[in-house]
Amino acid sequence: MKWFTCTPVAFGGGEDFFSRDSGLLSRGFRAIGVESRAVMPGERRPDDLDELIRTDFANLESPDWWSAHALDGVVLYAWGRPKFRKVAEAIRQAGIRLVLNQDSGGLVSPRCGIRAWLEEQWILSGAGRVPRGWLKYLELLARGLTVGLLVTDPLRARHLRQGDWIAAVSPRAAEHYRKLCTSYVGSGMEKRVTFVPHPVSPVFALRGGSRNPRVVAVGRWDDERQKRTSLLMQVVELLLTRSPVVGVDLVGVAGDALEAWQANLDASVRDRVVVHGRRSPAEIVDLLNRAQVSYCPSAFESFHIASGEALCCGCSVVAGRSVSMASFEWFVGEGDGRLADRDDVDGHADALLEELGAWTDNKRDAGKISARWTARLHAPCVAERVLGLFREGDGE
């Protein structure tokens, strides 16, 4: 068999690209014996790997170009966006099986549920949290209720109709897409909606050894609007005050504010917080295998691969309860973590302390957590899930 993955945006094509999303899924296909390469537009770059095909964007909109590769299928990572509709149409016209990956929480239109959509726009804008957030909120409302309904939605519907399967990245997101399809995209289209999670690299796995009461948080900490770094700092400070033994590892682009905060912590707790900056996957695996809990303070995430990686390493996860954190309902649904009932400093700190307590009380088992999630999220398993859609006719 021969399956390509495609991202119609000219990202870099180095090792970082192949460590997640469409690049990693292509590797997952190859791991199970399926010939595969990833496709992106643009000129070839010095760091592009050989497993990447670069081509002119016009070729992505050409059925003849796709037909020439004699493919069994394509997984298209194009978010259902109208600007990439012709790419989906070209693949379909070439007679190739097509899976449309939808990297979102599913609330892509007011038609998915107006109350939840309005709440998500508030969260996405950062209103009440970041400068000019209110203006961003009004902008999102105006765009979604005018151009969104009149222009974007009809074009998105044409895009989605091309897929043999519309693959949402969480069960909750799949529900939103089914509602959209039932109400707007077309009769019977809701039957094409399924759930296929983002892949996780097999390097993220249980390595054995003892676990300590440590919390790991991985993110782009220079992005306040999404990652809520200010909330992270307040929660960690309260957590350190309330627990005399917990340690915290903060991984990712730190930003000046986070580094200054750590340097100014009280001497009695400062040594229990390590700001690591960016680290290699192997180093992150090592941190996760020593920790008990992975914490995500984000305001919104379509999936949150870092939490998937943590689960594969045997950590449980903690995050806020929100319409914009759809994957976390699935992550914690079998007791592999918890959601904060109050989306504030006290609520998040309480959830972390309760989750650490679950480890102390032997209510968490790293081996069982890792076994459950590696079978679901490791890239070869996700590739098998995609192929299973066509073997079984059912992705659930």
Side-chain angles (χ1 to χ4, degrees), residues 324-344:
S324 298
M325 300 287 282
S327 289
F328 281 86
E329 295 179 11
W330 181 49
F331 289 160
V332 307
E334 294 164 282
D336 295 335
R338 69 189 66 226
L339 303 180
D341 290 325
R342 302 185 315 282
D343 194 26
D344 56 23

Side-chain angles (χ1 to χ4, degrees), residues 18-312:
F18 284 93
S19 68
R20 58 187 294 153
D21 299 351
S22 62
L24 181 56
L25 181 59
S26 180
R27 286 185 170 178
F29 279 124
R30 291 197 298 279
I32 61 173
V34 175
E35 183 180 351
S36 183
R37 296 178 76 182
V39 179
M40 276 197 291
E43 296 291 330
R44 193 153 189 89
R45 304 183 187 185
D47 65 338
D48 283 353
L49 300 182
D50 290 340
E51 53 202 293
L52 174 68
I53 295 175
R54 291 278 192 187
T55 190
D56 293 337
F57 187 85
N59 285 333
L60 300 183
E61 296 181 337
S62 166
D64 290 340
W65 187 87
W66 288 104
S67 293
H69 291 281
L71 299 173
D72 291 288
V74 174
V75 181
L76 179 62
Y77 282 69
W79 308 277
R81 290 180 184 170
K83 67 185 294 185
F84 303 127
R85 168 181 54 86
K86 292 182 179 180
V87 178
E89 289 176 346
I91 297 169
R92 185 75 171 185
Q93 289 167 18
I96 299 168
R97 296 166 178 153
L98 178 59
V99 177
L100 298 174
N101 174 276
Q102 305 302 303
D103 183 15
S104 81
L107 292 171
V108 294
S109 165
R111 290 184 170 94
C112 296
I114 186 63
R115 289 184 62 183
W117 181 84
L118 288 171
E119 185 176 350
E120 171 137 297
Q121 304 320 295
W122 175 268
I123 293 168
L124 295 177
S125 70
R129 299 188 293 107
V130 300
R132 303 175 66 83
W134 273 95
L135 290 177
K136 182 67 174 177
Y137 177 60
L138 295 175
E139 176 188 332
L140 291 174
L141 291 189
R143 184 190 308 151
L145 294 171
T146 56
V147 174
L149 290 173
L150 297 175
V151 179
T152 304
D153 273 5
L155 292 175
R156 179 189 289 115
R158 289 180 61 183
H159 184 149
L160 294 177
R161 289 186 195 116
Q162 308 309 310
D164 292 288
W165 289 98
I166 300 166
V169 296
S170 71
R172 179 65 67 189
E175 289 181 15
H176 293 315
Y177 275 99
R178 287 191 186 100
K179 186 170 185 178
L180 179 68
C181 287
T182 300
S183 66
Y184 189 71
V185 174
S187 175
M189 284 298 299
E190 71 279 0
K191 296 177 182 178
R192 299 190 197 178
V193 176
T194 188
F195 158 50
V196 177
H198 278 316
V200 166
S201 170
V203 72
F204 289 92
L206 191 70
R207 298 295 169 83
S210 62
R211 289 182 181 264
N212 303 309
R214 296 194 70 82
V215 174
V216 178
V218 180
R220 293 175 284 104
W221 306 120
D222 56 348
D223 183 353
E224 172 65 30
R225 185 171 67 92
Q226 181 178 4
K227 303 301 182 180
R228 297 199 293 190
T229 311
S230 59
L231 175 66
L232 170 77
M233 293 186 289
Q234 294 176 73
V235 169
V236 168
E237 198 159 354
L238 181 57
L239 181 65
L240 295 171
T241 301
R242 293 175 62 182
S243 169
V245 296
V246 68
V248 178
D249 294 292
L250 305 179
V251 181
V253 178
D256 294 339
L258 189 62
E259 291 181 342
W261 164 80
Q262 195 271 346
N264 290 315
L265 282 172
D266 187 273
S268 62
V269 298
R270 188 185 308 133
D271 290 344
R272 289 193 278 141
V273 180
V274 182
V275 179
H276 293 271
R278 295 193 66 178
R279 289 292 181 264
S280 69
E283 291 173 307
I284 297 173
V285 169
D286 185 55
L287 291 172
L288 291 171
N289 270 272
R290 295 202 305 261
Q292 294 174 338
V293 178
S294 173
Y295 171 47
C296 175
S298 297
F300 56 91
E301 295 284 353
S302 62
F303 184 76
H304 204 245
I305 293 172
S307 288
E309 294 169 344
L311 288 163
C312 288

